[in-house]
Amino acid sequence: SMTRLENLSEDADKKIAAGALENLGMLNMMFGGKPQGIADFRRAVALDPTRGQSWDFLLGMLLNSASPSELLAVAQSRLKVEDSARNHITVSKILAQKMGKWKEAAGQAEIARQQETNNVVPPVMLAAIALKQTGDTNYLFIAATNLMCAAAIMKDVAESDEKIERSREIMLDS
């Protein structure tokens, strides 16, 4: 199986090669080959930048092993491929949690909020970021405003799979 995937990873069709590399990366990740898994995912996204799962695995594997600047560079590369609220949230989280760049993090969260007005995660992030900005005289007002916005979004979301998903996002992102 590994030999077949390794052969396919050299296929002239970039999408086939990228798919094989993604599978090799998952196998390497599961069986302790973290450096090789990272290399496989890097090659997969280089060949086919639209492979969202490869980006997810690459960022996940780099989360605790790469420098914050390397992690940010990978997240920004993904953002260039797909300008989405989800990817702005990822960049925001790295800027805030890994680098302490609160204003830049808030800017990315604000873009995410504008792109997905029914997503509760950006206002929750903006509230958390505001609470870290105690030097700003309006930090409590900004935090409270964003928490009220998040509560309004959750109230407006019907009891459904979407509400469950949004609640899960908040728990995973906290």
Side-chain angles (χ1 to χ4, degrees), residues 132-137 139:
K132 289 288 192 174
Q133 302 294 304
T134 56
D136 185 336
T137 56
Y139 78 98

Side-chain angles (χ1 to χ4, degrees), residues 20-123:
L21 285 163
E22 181 175 280
N23 286 317
L24 280 169
M26 285 189 277
L27 289 170
N28 281 311
M29 180 179 65
M30 287 190 289
F31 296 111
K34 186 173 183 174
Q36 185 57 49
I38 290 171
D40 293 336
F41 292 127
R42 283 186 192 275
R43 284 182 57 209
V45 299
L47 289 171
D48 181 5
T50 65
R51 295 197 78 81
Q53 187 167 302
S54 290
W55 283 109
D56 289 342
F57 282 121
L58 177 58
L59 285 164
M61 291 182 78
L62 292 174
L63 188 60
N64 293 316
S65 64
S67 70
S69 58
E70 180 183 0
L71 186 62
L72 180 61
V74 171
Q76 288 173 328
S77 293
R78 183 180 191 180
L79 185 58
K80 287 177 187 171
V81 172
E82 182 188 357
D83 185 1
S84 68
R86 179 178 190 246
N87 292 337
H88 281 284
I89 289 167
T90 299
V91 170
S92 178
K93 286 167 47 176
I94 294 166
L95 286 165
Q97 296 171 354
K98 297 285 187 181
M99 304 177 90
K101 294 184 175 185
W102 304 108
K103 289 194 187 305
E104 294 95 331
Q108 291 295 314
E110 185 59 46
I111 293 168
R113 176 171 43 192
Q114 291 169 8
Q115 288 181 333
E116 279 189 21
T117 56
N118 69 334
N119 187 339
V120 72
V121 175

